[in-house]
DNA sequence: TCTGGGGTCCTATTTCCT
DNA sequence: TCTGAGGAAATAGGACCC
């Protein structure tokens, strides 16, 4: 028996930029862009003043500068954002039992069974602002999909409550690309078939969508365009993989330089995992060439990688075997099949043979 | 306009095992 | 020993998200 759910989605407004503005109030009201200052940088976050000039997230910094020459550039400070995030999420968890944090600035909450879910979320919003001076937008709906669309609909400081029918009325004529999970590629594939609205997509049979997009994605699309979504709010999820990668300010041609960069990334990744008490059995590399094409290689070992040297050597070996035929723009190292190292004591006790 | 870094998930293909 | 079906796991690539 499916019980009617009530799901909330909460999203901090221009989060990174907002945190910077708290530290530097003199920037308030000005166009601010959070990004590293490099030739190949992209915009991480922009204040609404900068967005008015057409600046948006993930946009090349070179473009953003052209569109908004007066913008003030602030380098990202992830430690500060993590701290602010912890303060925000602490409030959310204090007010709601079931919280799924998606990123530093976003979370789903399960409000099912609450007598006054809206009042609960109003309280969360007020407390977050009182305790952190940050603003959030909230969406409430019968599932994650509607909640997320709703939180995005009227930001900043939005508070939108919709049921499925209202969501349909509001967005039936919008592009399928509005729906989270439908990106540029799928939007294009649909457009080739003359499907450019959610309404048009909803007229396609599940069977047809499965033929076009496969046995999982087809039915998923069929449900999505009906604003139907049964994904539960899952409080804790173990990480699947972790990686470190870097784009060079200039492409690297020399194999020795490439290997050196790869070793540095491997060391960084190993340190991070060791801090968490995690290790993985699968080592992967990622290579982006000058023409922006990307190649990956991976190798699964019989036992989890126990030392930094093995990780680095495995990565370097794969890079040598691949042997890039173009200058390299980006290198990355990844570990997957992650597991938690046993508690203290177990690895101190060597399994010896008599 | 010229594209970061850190992730998740899906698909197709290959490989290995029974 | 050869052959093959079918599934699980590994691999590569790509779409997508913040």
């Amino acid at each position: 028996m499916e019980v009617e759910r009530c799901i909330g989605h909460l999203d901090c407004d221009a989060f990174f930029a907002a945190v910077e503005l708290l530290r530097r109030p003199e920037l308030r009201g000005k166009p601010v862009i959070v990004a590293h200052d490099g030739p190949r940088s992209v915009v991480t976050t922009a204040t609404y003043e900068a967005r008015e000039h057409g600046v948006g997230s993930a946009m090349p910094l070179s473009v953003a500068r052209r569109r908004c020459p007066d913008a003030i550039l602030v380098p990202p400070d992830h430690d500060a954002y993590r701290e602010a995030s912890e303060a925000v999420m602490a409030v959310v968890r204090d007010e709601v039992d079931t919280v799924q944090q998606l990123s530093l600035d976003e979370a789903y909450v399960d409000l099912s069974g609450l007598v006054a879910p809206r009042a609960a979320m109003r309280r969360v919003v007020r407390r977050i602002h009182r305790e952190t001076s940050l603003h959030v937008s909230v969406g409430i709906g019968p599932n994650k999909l509607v909640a997320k669309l709703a939180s995005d609909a009227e930001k900043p400081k939005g508070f939108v409550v919709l049921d499925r029918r209202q969501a349909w009325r509001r967005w039936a004529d919008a592009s399928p690309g509005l729906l989270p999970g439908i990106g540029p590629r799928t939007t294009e594939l649909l457009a080739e078939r003359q499907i450019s609205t959610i309404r048009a997509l909803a007229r396609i049979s599940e069977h047809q969508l499965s033929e076009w997009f496969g046995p999982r994605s087809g039915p998923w699309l069929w449900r999505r365009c009906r604003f139907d979504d049964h994904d539960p709010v899952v409080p804790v999820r173990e990480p699947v993989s972790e990686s470190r990668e870097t784009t060079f300010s200039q492409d690297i041609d020399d194999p020795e330089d490439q290997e050196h960069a790869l070793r540095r990334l491997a060391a960084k990744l190993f340190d991070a995992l060791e801090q968490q008490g995690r290790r993985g059995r699968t080592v992967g590399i990622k290579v982006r060439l000058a023409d922006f094409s990307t190649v990956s290689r991976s190798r699964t070992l019989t036992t989890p990688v126990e030392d930094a040297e093995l990780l680095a050597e495995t990565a370097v070996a794969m890079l040598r075997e691949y042997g890039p035929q173009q200058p390299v723009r980006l290198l990355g190292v990844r570990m997957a099949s992650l597991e938690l190292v046993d508690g203290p004591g177990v690895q101190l006790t060597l399994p010896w043979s008599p």
Side-chain angles (χ1 to χ4, degrees), chain A residues 139-344:
Chain A
I140 297 176
N143 56 45
K144 285 179 166 183
L145 173 59
V146 173
K148 181 156 173 72
L149 287 166
S151 76
D152 204 44
E154 295 179 17
K155 76 191 354 261
K157 299 190 217 174
F159 195 99
V160 176
V161 186
L162 296 173
D163 61 23
R164 264 177 75 190
R165 189 175 308 116
Q166 292 169 319
W168 173 263
R169 278 196 220 117
R170 194 163 175 147
W171 290 303
D173 292 306
S175 160
L178 174 81
L179 301 171
I182 302 184
R185 182 66 187 137
T186 306
T187 304
E188 190 190 323
L189 289 174
L190 289 170
E192 284 171 12
R193 299 178 157 107
Q194 320 306 319
I195 299 159
S196 57
T197 63
I198 290 170
R199 187 189 304 280
L201 180 54
R203 283 199 278 255
I204 311 299
S205 73
E206 189 174 14
H207 177 77
Q208 179 66 268
L209 290 173
S210 295
E211 292 204 332
W212 290 342
F213 296 99
R216 285 186 70 87
S217 301
W220 180 84
L221 274 171
W222 191 85
R223 291 191 305 273
R224 210 122 256 247
C225 65
R226 287 167 174 70
F227 301 94
D228 181 16
D229 171 22
H230 290 87
D231 266 16
V233 177
V234 183
V236 278
R237 301 189 49 190
E238 288 300 314
V240 170
S241 70
E242 186 158 336
S243 62
R244 289 296 178 274
E245 64 183 55
T246 185
T247 296
F248 308 113
S249 47
Q250 293 202 294
D251 297 349
I252 299 189
D253 224 338
D254 178 9
E256 268 192 53
D257 293 346
Q258 293 169 3
E259 287 182 13
H260 184 241
L262 201 60
R263 285 180 198 280
R264 281 212 319 271
L265 290 165
K268 239 210 271 188
L269 176 58
F270 189 86
D271 285 351
L273 285 168
E274 190 158 58
Q275 288 256 306
Q276 307 164 33
R278 288 182 213 277
R279 10 201 92 154
R281 287 169 49 230
T282 304
V283 181
I285 62 165
K286 173 169 160 183
V287 185
R288 177 119 75 209
L289 304 172
D291 68 0
F292 215 74
S293 60
T294 306
V295 172
S296 64
R297 291 291 181 271
S298 70
R299 187 169 291 172
T300 301
L301 311 180
T302 50
T303 141
V305 175
E306 303 249 347
D307 71 286
E309 200 46 39
L310 177 59
L311 175 61
E313 287 310 319
T314 307
V316 164
M318 285 190 282
L319 180 64
R320 283 190 188 142
E321 281 162 34
Y322 167 57
Q325 297 297 301
Q326 282 181 49
V328 168
R329 177 188 181 97
L330 167 152
L331 283 174
V333 182
R334 193 174 91 101
M335 293 263 308
S337 320
L338 296 182
E339 59 179 50
L340 283 166
V341 172
D342 298 319

Side-chain angles (χ1 to χ4, degrees), chain A residues 20-155:
Chain A
E20 295 298 342
L21 257 40
L22 293 180
R23 296 192 291 188
R24 301 171 63 176
E26 72 276 12
L27 297 182
R28 214 156 267 289
K30 298 188 175 160
V32 173
I33 292 174
V34 179
H36 283 114
D37 191 1
R40 290 171 164 178
S41 295
V42 298
V43 174
T44 303
T45 322
T47 57
Y48 289 90
E49 289 82 0
R51 295 181 196 198
E52 279 171 19
H53 294 260
V55 174
S57 295
M59 175 182 286
L61 186 58
S62 55
V63 177
R65 276 223 165 98
R66 209 166 311 137
R67 295 198 181 176
C68 187
D70 297 332
I72 297 150
L73 198 66
V74 175
D77 175 357
H78 281 273
D79 289 341
Y81 309 149
R82 190 167 310 112
E83 206 175 303
S85 172
E86 277 166 20
V88 169
M89 295 300 164
V91 172
V92 180
R93 284 184 230 278
D94 194 41
E95 295 283 343
V96 186
D97 289 333
T98 311
V99 179
Q100 179 178 359
Q101 190 176 338
L102 293 181
S103 63
L104 286 180
D105 78 320
E106 247 188 275
Y108 286 111
V109 291
D110 195 333
L111 308 168
S112 307
L114 262 58
V115 180
R118 304 176 198 211
M121 289 310 281
R122 290 281 185 199
R123 202 158 55 232
V124 171
V125 171
R126 272 199 309 274
R127 261 192 74 188
I128 289 173
H129 187 244
R130 193 179 318 132
E131 295 179 23
T132 71
S133 299
L134 293 166
H135 292 290
V136 301
S137 291
V138 165
I140 297 176
N143 56 45
K144 285 179 166 183
L145 173 59
V146 173
K148 181 156 173 72
L149 287 166
S151 76
D152 204 44
E154 295 179 17
K155 76 191 354 261

